[in-house]
């Protein structure tokens, strides 16, 4: 199912939030970049197009990494198979750690922040997207409809009950982890990050022109993007 | 109607989010404190109990300030009648600016942040609460019920459409302004603040024991509290 999503077929330009994610990425020229949850490697290859010196992509899925390697012909990109929370690198190995729509599959976000902080150089940057807490609070992850099938609104419930959600996104039995907005923020701050920007992406005007049905995305945020820096010591 | 709310009758202890708000207030001993939207002056008097040197309370309502003055017998507390966005003070006049549940009545949050930043001493602190964007997105500001009057969930809609909401909170025709979480954050960051903590308050265990019906508050966040510091230059 994942392979058939626009983002899988068309790469980054097929992802509705890409214009927003890209807008908070720092200049990557000459930088060492780590991509946590790299999937098919689209962000890894983008980083090299932006003249990153080297890129490491981490993913738990051998299948995804196989496809990523097929799509990649660049010795400066390396792929590592590992769970995000188990990955090991020397301290200060990277200038930028990015992650696209992976951390809502991870139970222990505190450990992720601790590791990313350790892996980053002084003044290093950390940019990631997740499914928005408004989107993950209910396991159903769907609109509330009237009897005629019209979307009435987006339902929120169990917001303060963080933890596992058994969802059926694309395929049945996908386990996600709901965290509140404040938990995302405070966990980063406690790990030593300074919050630089917070984005709840909207479709661009061009996307709304090409895909008028995307105006539904203005009714509730689907994604949360946070850009942060390792604090000066 | 406002006068009959528990927070109006019992002061700060009657406010469900007070324990959370208090937890992010800095030490106020010897500090000069500004309270924007001070209402009956509960936070002003609290600041003096915490040994603030002086406190200025600002509110647009002559009625509220009249009641605040009645309740206050302390020459180190002064009250100023003004709209929050019009208030004028010399630069660096305060060590702490606080505001409780006032800014969602203000259209121009950017101007508020600009002024607060100007009023604050270097390293000054800014702590405020607002109605949560999840709470302000729909004008109805109410649960979605089934035919039997059971609360099914909290509805979200129009989240990305910031601006005026004509609500009927306590009295009819109360104008509020919806802003997204990201707008609150980014407006502060752009004004020169560092985000120190973000809280989506929950009832304390003691409150849940005394008022079991408050467990409904765990289903969606009603308030957002942000604590920030004026950046080192």
């Amino acid at each position: 199912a994942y392979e058939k999503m626009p983002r899988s077929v068309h790469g980054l330009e097929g992802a509705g939030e890409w214009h927003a994610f890209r807008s908070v990425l720092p200049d990557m020229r000459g930088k060492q970049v780590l991509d946590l949850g790299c999937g098919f490697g689209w962000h890894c290859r983008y980083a090299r197009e932006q003249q990153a010196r080297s890129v490491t992509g981490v993913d738990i899925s051998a299948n995804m990494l196989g496809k990523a390697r097929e799509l990649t012909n660049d010795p400066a990109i390396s792929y590592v198979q590992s769970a995000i929370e188990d990955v090991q690198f020397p301290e200060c190995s990277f200038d930028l750690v990015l992650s696209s729509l992976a951390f809502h599959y991870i139970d222990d976000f505190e450990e992720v922040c601790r590791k990313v902080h350790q892996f980053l150089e002084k003044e290093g940057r950390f940019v990631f997207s997740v499914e928005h807490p408004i989107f993950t609070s209910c396991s159903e992850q769907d609109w509330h409809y009237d009897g005629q099938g019209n979307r009435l609104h987006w339902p929120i419930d169990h917001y303060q009950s963080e933890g596992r959600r058994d969802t059926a996104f694309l395929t049945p039995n996908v386990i996600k982890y709901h965290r509140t907005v404040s938990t995302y923020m405070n966990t980063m701050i406690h790990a030593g990050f300074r919050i630089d920007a917070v984005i709840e992406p909207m479709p661009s005007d061009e996307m709304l022109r090409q895909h008028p049905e995307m105006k539904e995305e203005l009714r509730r945020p689907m994604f949360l993007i946070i850009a942060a820096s390792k604090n000066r010591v």
Side-chain angles (χ1 to χ4, degrees), chain A:
Chain A
Y2 180 82
E3 286 188 28
K4 292 184 185 143
M5 292 183 76
R7 67 181 64 225
S8 305
V9 179
H10 303 294
L12 300 174
E13 297 302 334
E17 80 291 0
W18 168 238
H19 67 287
F21 193 85
R22 181 172 50 188
S23 76
V24 286
L25 287 173
D27 184 353
M28 295 195 264
R29 273 175 297 187
K31 302 295 187 183
Q32 313 207 72
V33 177
L34 173 63
D35 180 359
L36 295 175
C38 65
F40 294 164
W42 292 105
H43 294 86
C44 297
R45 293 185 294 277
Y46 174 79
R48 281 285 290 162
E49 284 163 30
Q50 301 300 307
Q51 300 167 47
R53 174 149 48 113
S54 70
V55 185
T56 304
V58 172
D59 209 285
I60 197 171
S61 159
N63 283 341
M64 292 223 178
L65 289 180
K67 178 86 175 170
R69 288 194 181 98
E70 264 175 45
L71 291 168
T72 304
N73 177 18
D74 182 342
I77 299 179
S78 55
Y79 293 107
V80 175
Q81 192 187 354
S82 169
I84 289 172
E85 59 274 47
D86 295 335
V87 79
Q88 298 291 349
F89 295 103
E91 282 187 32
C92 308
S93 318
F94 298 100
D95 305 292
L96 167 66
V97 177
L98 62 84
S99 177
S100 175
L101 300 183
F103 294 157
H104 53 271
Y105 297 113
I106 308 290
D107 188 12
D108 192 348
F109 183 61
E110 203 175 333
E111 177 67 4
V112 171
C113 287
R114 198 186 64 73
K115 287 206 164 179
V116 170
H117 194 267
Q118 200 175 52
F119 298 161
L120 278 174
E121 290 275 7
K122 244 186 276 186
E123 302 283 314
R125 306 283 290 273
F126 182 26
V127 178
F128 69 87
S129 60
V130 286
E131 286 185 359
H132 198 290
I134 286 176
F135 192 77
T136 58
S137 79
C138 293
S139 299
E140 293 76 13
Q141 301 205 302
D142 197 3
W143 299 90
H144 184 70
Y145 298 89
D146 68 12
Q148 281 73 51
N150 300 305
R151 294 175 171 181
L152 288 184
H153 53 250
W154 185 265
I156 297 266
D157 209 343
H158 320 292
Y159 182 85
Q160 301 286 17
S161 306
E162 299 189 312
R164 180 172 167 150
R165 297 290 189 271
D166 296 300
T167 74
F169 176 69
L170 300 178
T171 51
N173 307 319
V174 177
I175 295 170
K176 296 181 181 177
Y177 294 90
H178 169 70
R179 274 178 285 274
T180 64
V181 170
S182 42
T183 290
Y184 277 113
M185 302 286 168
N186 295 331
T187 305
M188 297 178 73
I189 292 167
H190 290 156
F193 289 100
R194 183 187 66 227
I195 308 290
D196 294 325
V198 178
I199 304 191
E200 294 163 305
M202 291 187 268
S204 63
D205 291 345
E206 201 198 320
M207 293 166 73
L208 287 172
R209 258 196 313 276
Q210 289 182 14
H211 308 280
E213 73 283 2
M214 286 190 85
K215 72 177 191 305
E216 295 286 290
E217 296 301 316
L218 302 174
R219 301 178 66 179
R220 57 95 185 91
M222 186 166 178
F223 303 116
L224 177 68
I225 299 172
I226 303 180
S229 304
K230 187 163 172 171
N231 271 333
R232 275 166 269 181
V233 186

